[in-house]
Amino acid sequence: DPECWESFGAGDVMSGPVGSGEAHAGVLPEWFGPHWWTGRDAVLVAAAVILLPLVLQKHVDSLRYTSALSILLAAVFMLITMGIAVYTVFTGTAKMPRMLPDFSTLASPFELFTAVPVIVVAFTFHFNVHPIRAELSKTSDMKSAVRISLVLCAAIYAAVGFFGFLLFGDATMPDVLANFDRSSGSGVPQALNDAARLSYALHLVLVFPLLHYSLRVNVDELLFPGRRPLAADTRRFVALTAVLMGLLYALAIAIPSIWTLFQYSGSTFAVCISLIFPGAIVLRDVHGIAKRKDKAMAAMMITLAVITSSIAIASNVMSSIKGEVKGVSAGAS
C-alpha cells in the first residue's frame, strides 16, 4: 500500500530507520534524546492524530491545498539538498561518487534490477486519476495534470538522487533522508540538515490523505458493491477509515525496513498496476481500437515487466536468506 510508504518515510525521518545496519538517528532523538515519545510507535500515532481531520475529508477536492503544499515542500527538500551539495563541491568536502556499478561479485548485475521496482513505485499513483478527474471542472485538464505531475516527479527524484549521491557517495542509504543526521559530514549547519528532513517529513504527511482517499474508495467498492456512495454513508465511511488506519499503523510498525517494502511491493503489485494490467487491457482490446503497434508495445511491456520483476524478487529473496540489507549501491547506481 502506498500509504505504508508514507508512514515508513515519516517514521524514518522523525525517529530514525530501523534495521538499517547503521545507526542514523531521527530528528526527535537528536533533539531530545531517546525516549518512548521519540520512538517510531509514538511518532506514527501522533502523525495519525494530526492527519485525522484530513483523512476524514469526503471529497478529494478538499485536499487540493494540502496537496499543493506537499509538492512545494518536496521542491524545498530538493533545493536544500542541491544547495548543500553545491556547498560541499566548492569547499572540497564532496565525496566523489562511483560512476559505474560494482560488478565485483556474480550477483552484482542482478542487484541492479532491485532498483527498478523502486522507480516503478515512485510513479505508481494511477488510482488517483479517476477520483481527481471526476471532480475537475474540465475533465479534459486531466491529461495536462498527469503530464505535469510526471515531469515534476521525474525532476525532483532525479535531482535528489544525483545530489544525494554526490553528498554521501557509497555511504548513501536506501532512504537518503536518514543520511541527513549529525553524522552526515556535509560541513553545513545541522539546522539546514534538519530543515531538509523536516520539509520532506511534512511532505509525506500531507501526501498521505490523498492516497488514503483512493484506498478507501477502492476497498469500499470491493467489499460493498452496489451500496450507496461511501460519502453518503457516514457510519460506513468512519468505520472503514478507522480499520484502514489501524491496519496501516500495524504494518508500519511490523515491517522495519522501508527498502524491503519498496523492493517487494514494487516488484509485485506496483509492476502489475503500472505495466502488466495496462498492457493486458491493450491486448484484450474490448472496443477494437488498438493498432498492431499498440499491441506489440503492450506485449513487450508485459514481457520486460515479468522478466525484471522476477529477477528482482529472486535477488531480494537471496539477499534476505543471506541476511543482507542491500540497495545502497544498487539503488545509487
Side-chain angles (χ1 to χ4, degrees):
D1 190 304
E3 293 174 88
C4 253
W5 311 336
E6 310 306 325
S7 301
F8 272 106
D12 286 355
V13 173
M14 301 307 295
S15 298
V18 180
S20 61
E22 185 176 350
H24 284 264
V27 175
L28 292 179
E30 283 188 350
W31 286 358
F32 305 106
H35 301 284
W36 68 267
W37 49 271
T38 62
R40 191 186 189 91
D41 298 18
V43 166
L44 291 178
V45 169
V49 173
I50 294 172
L51 282 171
L52 197 57
L54 294 175
V55 170
L56 290 174
Q57 296 296 320
K58 294 185 176 181
H59 300 283
V60 71
D61 181 66
S62 303
L63 302 172
R64 63 187 184 278
Y65 296 117
T66 54
S67 180
L69 180 58
S70 71
I71 296 173
L72 177 62
L73 289 169
V76 168
F77 172 69
M78 177 194 69
L79 292 174
I80 293 176
T81 305
M82 186 186 305
I84 296 175
V86 171
Y87 172 83
T88 58
V89 169
F90 280 103
T91 57
T93 57
K95 298 179 181 179
M96 188 57 162
R98 177 166 42 83
M99 293 291 103
L100 296 174
D102 180 11
F103 293 119
S104 58
T105 63
L106 183 61
S108 295
F110 298 101
E111 290 181 359
L112 287 173
F113 287 90
T114 62
V116 176
V118 180
I119 297 173
V120 173
V121 166
F123 289 92
T124 302
F125 293 97
H126 304 54
F127 39 78
N128 280 329
V129 171
H130 294 296
I132 294 175
R133 183 178 183 275
E135 296 189 15
L136 284 176
S137 56
K138 291 175 59 179
T139 55
S140 58
D141 290 341
M142 193 66 228
K143 184 179 293 186
S144 298
V146 170
R147 289 174 177 172
I148 293 172
S149 299
L150 290 174
V151 170
L152 279 174
C153 287
I156 292 174
Y157 291 152
V160 171
F162 174 78
F163 289 108
F165 196 38
L166 182 63
L167 269 173
F168 307 113
D170 286 344
T172 307
M173 299 185 67
D175 182 2
V176 71
L177 290 168
N179 283 106
F180 287 89
D181 63 355
R182 290 178 181 173
S183 65
S184 65
S186 59
V188 301
Q190 183 57 34
L192 198 57
N193 286 335
D194 291 343
R197 289 191 289 177
L198 289 174
S199 64
Y200 206 78
L202 185 55
H203 159 78
L204 295 174
V205 168
L206 293 179
V207 167
F208 183 93
L210 186 61
L211 301 177
H212 188 276
Y213 180 92
S214 296
L215 172 67
R216 182 173 50 210
V217 169
N218 282 281
V219 171
D220 179 70
E221 291 181 356
L222 177 65
L223 298 179
F224 308 104
R227 298 285 187 90
R228 59 177 177 164
L230 183 61
D233 191 332
T234 302
R235 180 178 297 180
R236 194 168 91 244
F237 178 88
V238 173
L240 191 55
T241 299
V243 171
L244 290 176
M245 290 289 285
L247 288 174
L248 292 172
Y249 175 81
L251 286 173
I253 295 299
I255 307 175
S257 173
I258 188 173
W259 182 259
T260 300
L261 181 69
F262 276 154
Q263 287 179 318
Y264 283 105
S265 60
S267 55
T268 52
F269 85 87
V271 168
C272 290
I273 294 176
S274 301
L275 303 172
I276 296 178
F277 290 167
I281 291 173
V282 173
L283 291 178
R284 188 180 181 188
D285 193 20
V286 176
H287 301 288
I289 58 176
K291 299 178 181 178
R292 180 177 297 178
K293 65 176 183 179
D294 297 327
K295 292 187 176 182
M297 184 175 295
M300 182 175 64
M301 187 168 65
I302 293 174
T303 302
L304 291 176
V306 171
I307 293 173
T308 302
S309 61
S310 298
I311 295 175
I313 292 173
S315 180
N316 293 336
V317 171
M318 292 301 295
S319 179
S320 299
I321 293 174
K322 295 177 181 178
E324 300 174 354
V325 179
K326 59 179 179 48
V328 177
S329 57
S333 303

